[in-house]
Amino acid sequence: MKLNILNALDSKGLINEVDASTNKEVIASHLAKLKLPNKKSEKYRYFDIQDIVSKDLELVTTAEDKFEVIGNKLVIENGTILKAPKVDGVKIKINDFSDVNNDHFDSLYYTSHLFAKNVIKIYISKDSKFEIEHIFSKNNTLINYRVALFVDANVNATIYESFKNDANNSVVLAGYDIFVSPYANFELIKNQTLNKDVSTPIFSNYYKVDSNATFKLGTFDFANTNFLNIFKAELHERAEFNATHLLYTNGDIKAGSVSEIVHIGKHSKSNQVAKNILNNSSRGIFDALIRVTNSASGTIAHQNSKAILLNSGAYMASKPQLEIYIDDLEASHGSTTGQLDKKALFYLRSRGIKEVEAKRILILAFANESIDTVNQDNFANHIYVDFEKAYYGNAELDCMKTCHSCENIILKD
């Protein structure tokens, strides 16, 4: 199936083409109005979306299969659950879902919902912490699935996401609809390493943060293949949303994030910080909008992007934006792109440190500022290791866990 054939269809034609149920008429009408993105689409202008929507791929979506409930991890392979966590207060169901956001800016959000016959639903009713592992293994496939996550009021929950991507010439079209109830605290930590020539993931998400709730998002992406992370966050009265993005890219790729944070309620807060490290001829993307509506007096909203270009072929497409319809607020946005600090490099080299190692020290310090925002030490250590492997080829933490050949030297009197 080629995604771009959908552009010629109206809402009824879309439902017939993908054999969707009639309760998805609203979803189809949104898609018919927005159309599939192309190279002229503003939100995709820095990403090669035309190559994605013109690929002829077999469609695979979530099946309503039985799964084992065991351990502390939800494992999803090609959109199908292999096992679910046995955690008190966490329930997993698979069925239909039509409660989509009716004002999302991304047509692929509606496309993935239209394709999804069933949705993986996660209900969190008690304080909990667990992991989600996504596995992509089918070649020449459009892997489509959706996850809807509901965090009950007054609940504290943390989810750590990891990925195994071995699929070739495939596209992953997936994403979350997350609903954080009043006075809940939710943290989502996404750790993704993409090796060369694996499938291209596009995640299109919607987050609703209800009154007096907090959502902390951390995305840590180390990529040698194209990918895009898209989200819209909607903040209600006294809601708080904090987003940290760390991006490392290598090779001739385009990768990053496109987002909208919409302040709807009074005294809502948001803080979005992106750090980007770009190598070779890669392009980093940070296209981010904060919108403050006329009902959101007392808003506090801050946004910042910093990028380090490791050579002359790398390029950062940074577009932080504020759209404000009220005077009673505190808001800022900014963007800086440059190379490593020459004075800091000189200082380290004057202390006898070789140039390669000095650069490594500065890069790790830059990245660690983002990784240190993860409060869970075990999850943070996974991210430290994966970043060092992506950037440097190995990791000190990983070395110490797996190899003891230098113990005699370290412990020698």
Side-chain angles (χ1 to χ4, degrees), residues 22-290:
T22 54
N23 67 351
K24 293 192 175 183
E25 288 180 357
V26 173
I27 296 172
S29 66
H30 285 306
L31 178 55
K33 180 180 178 180
L34 290 174
K35 303 296 183 183
L36 269 294
N38 56 49
K39 60 184 179 182
K40 294 183 179 180
S41 300
E42 181 64 25
K43 296 294 186 181
Y44 288 88
R45 60 182 297 189
Y46 304 114
F47 188 76
D48 291 332
I49 193 63
Q50 196 66 31
D51 294 342
I52 303 298
V53 298
S54 61
K55 274 190 174 183
D56 192 4
L57 301 170
E58 176 191 359
L59 175 63
V60 172
T61 189
T62 302
E64 193 172 359
D65 292 337
K66 294 181 179 179
F67 48 85
E68 185 180 19
V69 179
I70 187 172
N72 193 48
K73 184 184 289 188
L74 171 62
V75 180
I76 305 170
E77 182 169 10
N78 303 320
T80 297
I81 295 179
L82 299 185
K83 65 177 183 178
K86 191 175 183 180
V87 176
D88 188 29
V90 177
K91 292 184 178 180
I92 312 291
K93 295 183 179 180
I94 302 176
N95 50 42
D96 62 354
F97 175 84
S98 56
D99 190 19
V100 300
N101 178 249
N102 287 318
D103 193 29
H104 206 291
F105 64 89
D106 181 33
S107 62
L108 291 183
Y109 169 80
Y110 296 111
T111 304
S112 63
H113 268 294
L114 188 66
F115 285 159
K117 305 295 183 185
N118 295 290
V119 170
I120 299 168
K121 295 182 178 178
I122 305 172
Y123 298 90
I124 305 176
S125 60
K126 295 181 180 180
D127 292 0
S128 56
K129 179 173 65 176
F130 61 96
E131 300 181 35
I132 299 178
E133 181 180 38
H134 303 265
I135 302 172
F136 310 130
S137 59
K138 290 184 72 71
N139 300 331
N140 305 306
T141 301
L142 174 60
I143 302 169
N144 180 87
Y145 64 101
R146 301 294 308 179
V147 178
L149 192 149
F150 306 87
V151 184
D152 280 1
N154 300 295
V155 166
N156 298 300
T158 299
I159 294 177
Y160 171 80
E161 272 193 305
S162 60
F163 298 80
K164 290 183 179 178
N165 191 337
D166 297 317
N168 294 315
N169 194 40
S170 291
V171 173
V172 178
L173 184 56
Y176 284 102
D177 289 85
I178 297 178
F179 302 88
V180 186
S181 297
Y183 296 97
N185 294 293
F186 178 63
E187 181 175 13
L188 178 63
I189 306 162
K190 174 188 174 225
N191 180 18
Q192 176 181 233
T193 297
L194 289 169
N195 296 320
K196 189 176 182 181
D197 297 328
V198 297
S199 63
T200 301
I202 300 177
F203 303 108
S204 190
N205 310 284
Y206 168 65
Y207 310 137
K208 180 183 178 182
V209 190
D210 219 324
S211 57
N212 297 285
T214 300
F215 187 162
K216 183 179 179 182
L217 174 67
T219 63
F220 303 90
D221 297 291
F222 317 128
N224 202 357
T225 289
N226 294 340
F227 86 90
L228 203 58
N229 190 47
I230 305 161
F231 70 84
K232 177 188 174 185
E234 184 179 282
L235 311 186
H236 292 258
E237 186 171 351
R238 299 187 186 277
E240 186 169 344
F241 180 73
N242 297 297
T244 299
H245 312 294
L246 176 61
L247 173 68
Y248 171 73
T249 58
N250 195 16
D252 184 17
I253 70 163
K254 297 178 177 68
S257 62
V258 178
S259 65
E260 286 189 5
I261 300 172
V262 183
H263 290 259
I264 294 175
K266 295 179 179 180
H267 304 291
S268 51
K269 299 179 181 179
S270 68
N271 187 39
Q272 185 177 25
V273 178
K275 292 202 167 188
N276 311 277
I277 305 163
L278 313 178
N279 203 4
N280 295 321
S281 57
S282 59
R283 174 185 292 177
I285 301 168
F286 179 72
D287 187 341
L289 169 68
I290 293 178

Side-chain angles (χ1 to χ4, degrees), residues 348-373:
L348 291 173
R349 294 196 67 192
S350 70
R351 297 302 188 269
I353 299 173
K354 294 181 179 179
E355 183 176 0
V356 172
E357 186 63 19
K359 289 182 177 180
R360 175 177 180 256
I361 290 171
L362 294 178
I363 289 295
L364 293 180
F366 181 78
N368 286 350
E369 289 180 4
S370 296
I371 301 173
D372 287 344
T373 64

